[in-house]
Amino acid sequence: MRKHFNLFSQYLIGVLFGLGLIISGMSNPQKILSFLDLAGNWDPSLMFVMGGAILVGLGGFYLASKRTEAFFGGALHIPTRRDISKPLVIGSLIFGAGWGIAGFCPGPAIVALGAGHLKALVFVLAMLAGMALCNRFFTGHKKSA
Amino acid sequence: MQIDWLAFSPGPAFFGGILLGIAAALYVILHGRILGISGIVSGLLSPKGGDIDWRFSLVLGLLSAPLIGALFFGLQTTTVIDADWIVIIVAGVLVGFGANYGSGCTSGHGVCGLSRLSPRSLVATISFMGAGFLTVFVIRHVLGL
């Protein structure tokens, strides 16, 4: 029972996050690319998405830092690394390049797949291939958010 | 730089962002984890005992967000994908590989990482934002595609 409740809670949080992506416009690659196009007809909306998310997130993570375990039990899995490593920067640059090419990052791509877009399905499959490639040849650099 | 006032949508962007922040805050407080979509998805590729059902629940939530948004909130999911198939595939591989290699994406580093004031996530966010800006600049204004 408790396990099912836990899984349902995870599902609802996924729905909430997905709704946030849809309402904010992040599930639309055209809107992302307009934000990334500083030299063109620039749409600054994404700054407000990040602003709203971080405003609430600051409070949430502050509250979490006061806890010793998760509300539903179990340890807090918060990353503790502080080093600025080469994989961190190189991986982020590669990720950003892919983001700038198609206007999709992982969350919005999965939401767009749920909305029935075939190109989102192909993107997600390619993304899984990219992840598998990294896991296969560069294990040890990953782990944690 | 000129602002695209027609596309600019600070209200929905901010409100959607708040929902993203609430989801991330609930996730860390209830489940003790970072709501990083790339990390959660990539964990599905190398399943360990008891570590797959909750990941699947969350991804299912993202996938069903457009349907739930439409059914309960009359929400339309706008997704305009201009990129060609091959471009989608290349972008997907880069996003998947880069997010894994760089330990996170827009949700893990951008939303959660900045909310918990992580220096690693700040560097990652600056890196992928910068790469995104540069990529769109090169594609649209240098290559003129």
Side-chain angles (χ1 to χ4, degrees), chain A residues 49-122:
Chain A
V49 183
M50 291 302 284
I54 292 168
L55 199 67
V56 179
L58 280 170
F61 279 92
Y62 175 76
L63 288 177
S65 73
K66 302 283 168 203
R67 302 189 59 92
T68 51
E69 66 168 23
F71 187 79
F72 286 147
L76 293 174
H77 301 271
I78 310 270
T80 49
R81 283 181 67 173
R82 295 184 69 83
D83 60 309
I84 308 300
S85 62
K86 255 191 205 167
L88 177 83
V89 176
I90 294 170
S92 298
L93 290 174
I94 294 172
F95 166 69
W99 192 38
I101 289 175
F104 265 142
C105 52
I110 293 171
V111 169
L113 167 57
H117 293 272
L118 197 57
K119 277 184 176 169
L121 171 65
V122 173

Side-chain angles (χ1 to χ4, degrees), chain A residues 3 6 9-11 17 27-28 31 37 41-42 45 53 58 71-72 77 83 91-92 105 114 119 127 135 144-145, chain B residues 2 4 7 9 17 27 29-32 34 53 63-64 78-80 83 92 98 100 103 106 109 120 128 140-141:
Chain A
K3 190 186 174 200
N6 189 314
S9 160
Q10 299 244 10
Y11 170 79
F17 198 78
S27 59
N28 185 4
K31 197 150 179 78
D37 191 6
N41 216 8
W42 190 48
S45 306
L58 280 170
F71 187 79
F72 286 147
H77 301 271
D83 60 309
S92 298
C105 52
K119 277 184 176 169
M127 180 177 90
N135 288 350
S144 75
Chain B
Q2 64 180 55
D4 185 351
S9 55
Y27 203 58
I29 291 169
L30 298 179
H31 299 282
I34 299 289
D53 49 1
L63 283 170
S64 55
T78 310
T79 302
V80 181
N100 253 24
S103 307
T106 352
H109 280 312
R120 270 171 64 82
F128 67 66
R140 291 196 175 176
H141 303 289

Side-chain angles (χ1 to χ4, degrees), chain A residues 3 6-31 33-46 48-64 67 69-73 75-102 104-107 110-115 117-120 122-123 126-135 138 141-145, chain B residues 1-5 7-39 41-42 45-46 48 53-55 57-70 73 75-85 87-121 123-125 127-137 139-141:
Chain A
K3 190 186 174 200
N6 189 314
L7 289 179
F8 187 60
S9 160
Q10 299 244 10
Y11 170 79
L12 288 181
I13 288 171
V15 171
L16 186 62
F17 198 78
L19 291 176
L21 291 175
I22 294 167
I23 291 169
S24 66
M26 292 234 13
S27 59
N28 185 4
Q30 193 181 55
K31 197 150 179 78
L33 293 176
S34 301
F35 169 75
L36 293 175
D37 191 6
L38 288 175
N41 216 8
W42 190 48
D43 177 1
S45 306
L46 190 60
F48 288 77
V49 183
M50 291 302 284
I54 292 168
L55 199 67
V56 179
L58 280 170
F61 279 92
Y62 175 76
L63 288 177
R67 302 189 59 92
E69 66 168 23
F71 187 79
F72 286 147
L76 293 174
H77 301 271
I78 310 270
T80 49
R81 283 181 67 173
R82 295 184 69 83
D83 60 309
I84 308 300
S85 62
K86 255 191 205 167
L88 177 83
V89 176
I90 294 170
S92 298
L93 290 174
I94 294 172
F95 166 69
W99 192 38
I101 289 175
F104 265 142
C105 52
I110 293 171
V111 169
L113 167 57
H117 293 272
L118 197 57
K119 277 184 176 169
V122 173
F123 181 91
M127 180 177 90
L128 289 170
M131 287 173 168
L133 202 69
C134 183
N135 288 350
F138 299 93
H141 289 299
K142 46 176 198 97
K143 279 289 164 269
S144 75
Chain B
M1 178 192 292
Q2 64 180 55
I3 292 182
D4 185 351
W5 293 108
F8 185 44
S9 55
F14 189 70
F15 177 62
I18 292 214
L19 294 185
L20 299 179
I22 292 174
L26 282 176
Y27 203 58
V28 71
I29 291 169
L30 298 179
H31 299 282
R33 287 182 186 274
I34 299 289
L35 187 48
I37 306 301
S38 61
V41 170
S42 95
L45 293 173
S46 47
K48 297 179 201 87
D53 49 1
W54 62 269
R55 295 175 190 268
S57 294
L58 196 123
V59 171
L60 206 61
L62 287 176
L63 283 170
S64 55
L67 183 64
I68 289 177
F73 307 104
L75 204 62
Q76 195 195 337
T77 304
T78 310
T79 302
V80 181
I81 312 170
D82 289 329
D84 293 339
W85 294 100
V87 173
I88 287 283
I89 292 170
V90 170
V93 171
L94 290 176
V95 163
F97 182 92
N100 253 24
Y101 198 56
S103 307
C105 59
T106 352
S107 49
H109 280 312
V111 173
C112 298
L114 294 186
S115 292
R116 60 188 186 86
L117 308 174
S118 154
R120 270 171 64 82
S121 290
V123 169
T125 305
S127 302
F128 67 66
M129 285 276 184
F133 287 133
L134 185 68
T135 302
V136 172
F137 182 78
I139 290 175
R140 291 196 175 176
H141 303 289

